[in-house]
Amino acid sequence: MAGHEHFARLQALLDLEREAEKKETLRDLRRFPVSQREALGKTVSGLTMESVESGLGGMPLVALSRSPKGEELSPFHAMNAGDNVLLTLPSGAEPGAAEGTLYKVEEWRAVVALGGPGPEEPLRGACQLDLLGSDATYQRMRKALIAASEARRSRLSELREIFLGEKAPARGRVPKISWLNASLNEYQREAVKRALSAEDAAVVHGPPGTGKTTVLVEIIRQHVARGERALATAPSNIAVDNILEKLLGTGLRVVRLGHPARTLESLRHGNLSAQVEEDPLYEQVRELDARRERLARRRSRFGRGLGQLGYAERAEREREASRLWREARDLEFEISRRLVASAQVVLATHAGVSPRLVRGAFDLVVLDEASQAVEPLSWISVALGRKVVLAGDANQLPPTLHSKEAAEGGLASTLFDRLKDVLPPTSQTLLRVQYRMHEDIMRFPSEQFYEGKLIADDSVARHLAAELPAVAATPLTSRPVTFVDTAGAGFDEAWNELLESRENRGEAELAVKIIYELLGSGLKAKDCAILTPYVAQAKLLKTLGREPGLEIGSVDGFQGREKEAVVVSLVRSNPAGQIGFLGDLRRLNVALTRARRCLIVIGDSTTIARHPVYRAFVEHADALDSHRSSYEWTHA
């Protein structure tokens, strides 16, 4: 009964979250005129249709562009490959709009993969793109909760009882292991051993840079070596691609589900769509599509209105075109299902696990970034496995939610959070050796968030930006950590009404000045990033730092990634010493652990140091003799 109540509560919280997201999307699209929606990055208008081509799986690829207007931001500044969009076609087109997925995004050009038939040739007139939400993920979460709640006398019901703490997990003997990756450190090997000996579930705690994906790949390969099949999922496409990249060179039969636009271009040969096109039977699909296109061209030759044909003949041609489309897609689906069924490892986002394609149970289900997925999302994958291994880090950012009520009601607590409290220590491992950060960058987050347990591998412990090829030794490139203090500079924060977020122009200008100093010393733009907790500050920084290859964005959006040099703009500067959501220290942890060799934090010590942890960071910079004043740049 307790289990039923738990899932009913999750369902109610999920409904609250979905309503909040819908309201936010509608507010963004209806409350503001097009110009403001474009400023938010939710809409791009005035687009010209350049071309219409056929892509993977016969889906129409529509290329759209807009000419630069002075010094404006890229019109697609808030859009990314894989986003769901609504394409509004020029006036008079039929149909007037079509849903699709962004396939490719450049500064002034984007390619949309439409979900169904599109225009046969480029249309004249202005087009518009709007970012969309989708109900599909919520429907899959809802079904997963129902399945978990109602399961009886099955493997899923056993896992449910274990995950709710109603039944103790089983553990077998630690097997003799022939290591497939001989370079694993002792903590990584221990994590693999505990995962292999667990019969129900295991947890891998992976602080930044400790190689949790490397561990998961070894766990997957060990299970496959036993003759078992594995499903690997994560809430984000980039995390799935990280696993895919490490698996592709192993010789295993691997298939990645999901729209090819959501897979990195360099890895698209691992995507199901690409593998379908390489299948010998796909030639029949090409022939069916070619016949349909020939029919369409013949219709076009007789005039767009087909007025020269009788009603019966027009209807027959429409039926034939529909039949050819359907037959091609059915054959394509059968090829897809066969490839998925024969794969040793299937990869997808949690929401991308298609119930039509993925049938039957997997011997192993691996959930990466498990600390970033709401619990209902994790149950989509859990329901498909006999054994589950979760990897994540409870000291990094939790799932992003739209509803404060749902978050406070428990939706912000993940399955990972519960299992770290439910599973015995013998089923959990903390990875301790990190391969990213200079030890001075690592030391503060290690002491604050990981009980001082992190160890910098010798390969990174002393590395500096000044040691990179063609980079000059300067006060910034020769130090791993620098705190630039804006106290007394008059860089007051401001509230951005449109974005409902905070910004600090003085601090933004200083951050850009510092990044150009780093670039002037020889660092490449692609090796640098400017990060900030606030979306308004990120947008302001993008208008000031227009350097090709330089990444500028929010801390939340950069989780799981790294750069050689990172400048962090904390923004908050006010007489009351209020730091707002900077008080969620997991955000600070993420911000401080993205840099490999050079971390530069800009902030007002008189504001942030009223919080004990931020005060400790300022003292950490003092101890390293790395506390500098913004006056060195503003009064130079």
Side-chain angles (χ1 to χ4, degrees):
M1 186 62 182
H4 176 76
E5 290 173 357
H6 173 75
F7 290 102
R9 183 175 60 85
L10 282 179
Q11 180 61 70
L13 295 173
L14 194 62
D15 291 341
L16 284 174
E17 171 63 13
R18 181 55 181 144
E19 283 307 307
E21 185 180 13
K22 281 182 177 178
K23 285 178 182 176
E24 188 171 314
T25 301
L26 287 173
R27 186 193 64 179
D28 289 345
L29 293 179
R30 292 177 179 172
R31 175 180 167 194
F32 303 119
V34 169
S35 60
Q36 288 184 315
R37 295 207 307 263
E38 291 194 298
L40 289 166
K42 304 287 187 183
T43 295
V44 184
S45 64
L47 291 165
T48 299
M49 193 179 295
E50 288 184 357
S51 64
V52 179
E53 298 175 3
S54 183
L56 289 172
M59 58 190 162
L61 297 178
V62 180
L64 304 153
S65 66
R66 194 171 87 180
S67 299
K69 300 173 184 175
E71 294 297 308
E72 69 168 338
L73 270 177
S74 158
F76 306 104
H77 65 90
M79 297 187 181
N80 299 290
D83 285 346
N84 294 324
V85 291
L86 176 70
L87 170 61
T88 302
L89 298 169
S91 178
E94 186 61 43
E99 291 191 19
T101 304
L102 282 177
Y103 189 80
K104 190 174 184 181
V105 181
E106 298 170 353
E107 195 168 11
W108 304 103
R109 185 175 182 273
V111 179
V112 181
L114 298 183
E120 293 160 9
E121 57 188 32
L123 303 176
R124 297 182 65 181
C127 300
Q128 181 169 307
L129 280 181
D130 290 290
L131 277 175
L132 287 182
S134 171
D135 268 330
T137 299
Y138 283 87
Q139 295 299 336
R140 287 183 182 175
M141 286 193 280
R142 198 168 281 123
K143 288 178 181 177
L145 291 177
I146 293 170
S149 177
E150 296 181 352
R152 298 289 182 272
R153 297 180 181 177
S154 65
R155 184 55 183 154
L156 179 56
S157 67
E158 291 175 351
L159 289 175
R160 179 192 66 213
E161 290 169 4
I162 292 165
F163 289 4
L164 293 180
E166 298 169 355
K167 179 180 177 181
R171 182 174 172 80
R173 294 173 55 192
V174 177
K176 186 176 180 181
I177 300 173
S178 176
W179 296 103
L180 299 168
N181 182 349
S183 65
L184 297 180
N185 64 52
E186 60 177 304
Y187 303 102
Q188 292 174 324
R189 291 189 176 209
E190 185 61 27
V192 174
K193 288 178 184 177
R194 291 184 178 185
L196 290 176
S197 62
E199 295 184 3
D200 302 304
V203 166
V204 179
H205 299 271
T210 53
K212 66 178 173 60
T213 303
T214 299
V215 169
L216 293 180
V217 167
E218 181 72 12
I219 292 169
I220 290 168
R221 293 177 69 191
Q222 291 289 344
H223 279 82
V224 172
R226 296 175 173 180
E228 299 177 347
R229 291 184 77 223
L231 171 68
T233 67
S236 72
N237 283 289
I238 193 69
V240 177
D241 283 344
N242 286 340
I243 303 175
L244 175 63
E245 186 174 23
K246 292 179 184 295
L247 282 171
L248 281 177
T250 62
L252 300 182
R253 293 191 306 279
V254 178
V255 64
R256 157 77 149 101
L257 305 185
H259 199 293
R262 298 187 178 103
T263 304
L264 290 173
E265 197 161 353
S266 60
L267 304 176
R268 281 184 185 161
H269 59 290
N271 191 279
L272 176 61
S273 294
Q275 294 183 24
V276 166
E277 290 205 347
E278 292 166 4
D279 191 278
L281 272 179
Y282 193 75
E283 197 54 45
Q284 296 179 33
V285 177
R286 287 194 179 93
E287 176 55 31
L288 289 165
D289 282 334
R291 285 167 57 190
R292 182 174 54 82
E293 287 172 10
R294 285 196 296 271
L295 185 63
R297 283 197 296 272
R298 202 182 323 151
R299 282 168 25 217
S300 181
R301 219 172 23 247
F302 283 110
R304 291 193 181 277
L306 299 181
Q308 299 174 9
L309 300 177
Y311 174 80
E313 191 173 354
R314 288 203 307 272
E316 176 57 33
R317 289 194 178 186
E318 292 295 341
R319 280 196 297 271
E320 177 65 6
S322 296
R323 185 190 68 78
L324 290 169
W325 172 272
R326 226 171 20 248
E327 191 175 336
R329 303 291 76 79
D330 288 346
L331 181 55
E332 197 172 56
F333 178 74
E334 287 307 314
I335 298 170
S336 300
R337 191 157 57 183
R338 173 167 48 79
L339 287 171
V340 172
S342 65
Q344 294 168 303
V345 187
V346 176
L347 299 101
T349 59
H350 298 328
V353 179
S354 168
R356 292 183 67 218
L357 283 173
V358 181
R359 295 184 175 179
F362 288 85
D363 302 291
L364 170 71
V365 170
V366 164
L367 283 73
D368 198 5
E369 288 187 345
S371 51
Q372 294 176 46
V374 292
E375 184 172 337
L377 196 59
S378 295
W379 280 104
I380 296 174
S381 301
V382 169
L384 295 169
R386 297 196 56 77
K387 170 175 156 181
V388 183
V389 174
L390 300 92
D393 181 5
N395 290 306
Q396 293 190 63
L397 286 166
T400 300
L401 295 173
H402 297 83
S403 168
K404 184 178 180 182
E405 186 180 352
E408 292 174 349
L411 196 59
S413 296
T414 66
L415 194 58
F416 184 89
D417 291 329
R418 181 163 344 95
L419 287 188
K420 70 184 175 62
D421 296 329
V422 167
L423 295 182
T426 51
S427 297
Q428 304 189 54
T429 314
L430 172 69
L431 303 179
R432 293 183 56 185
V433 180
Q434 64 85 18
Y435 300 88
R436 175 185 300 167
M437 297 165 275
H438 187 289
E439 61 184 6
D440 287 348
I441 299 175
M442 174 202 76
R443 188 173 298 114
F444 180 79
S446 176
E447 291 172 354
Q448 289 294 327
F449 303 106
Y450 305 104
E451 300 176 341
K453 291 181 178 179
L454 297 191
I455 303 163
D457 186 72
D458 289 342
S459 63
V460 301
R462 307 303 301 166
H463 66 179
L464 296 166
E467 296 169 356
L468 290 168
V471 176
T474 70
L476 289 178
T477 63
S478 299
R479 286 184 177 277
V481 178
T482 302
F483 174 59
V484 180
D485 197 343
T486 66
F491 293 170
D492 294 334
E493 65 184 65
W495 178 251
N496 184 309
E497 288 285 352
L498 174 62
L499 298 177
E500 296 181 340
S501 176
R502 297 187 187 277
E503 60 190 16
N504 187 322
R505 187 170 190 88
E507 196 170 290
E509 291 172 347
L510 176 58
V512 170
K513 188 175 288 189
I514 288 173
I515 207 77
Y516 275 109
E517 183 177 323
L518 291 175
L519 297 178
S521 70
L523 273 162
K524 297 176 181 177
K526 69 178 180 63
D527 292 329
C528 302
I530 308 177
L531 302 180
T532 178
Y534 293 93
V535 292
Q537 184 77 342
K539 184 174 183 296
L540 178 57
L541 284 162
K542 286 178 181 179
T543 64
L544 298 172
R546 303 170 62 81
E547 185 69 27
L550 172 66
E551 287 199 60
I552 298 173
S554 68
V555 173
D556 298 46
F558 213 77
Q559 186 160 255
R561 303 184 56 211
E562 61 185 55
K563 291 284 185 179
E564 299 293 353
V566 173
V567 176
V568 178
S569 169
L570 294 178
V571 176
R572 300 310 297 261
S573 179
N574 57 77
Q578 296 176 346
I579 64 169
F581 77 174
L582 290 188
D584 185 340
L585 298 176
R586 293 170 294 188
R587 187 165 282 107
L588 176 66
N589 186 29
V590 173
L592 299 182
T593 54
R594 301 307 96 197
R596 288 173 49 77
R597 301 167 183 261
C598 178
L599 170 67
I600 301 168
V601 179
I602 305 173
D604 180 350
S605 64
T606 61
T607 296
I608 64 170
R610 297 196 196 183
H611 189 289
V613 174
Y614 284 88
R615 182 166 63 250
F617 175 75
V618 174
E619 291 168 353
H620 173 65
D622 286 337
L624 294 172
D625 194 24
S626 297
H627 187 162
R628 299 176 65 180
S629 170
S630 60
Y631 279 85
E632 296 179 45
W633 284 270
T634 57
H635 290 72

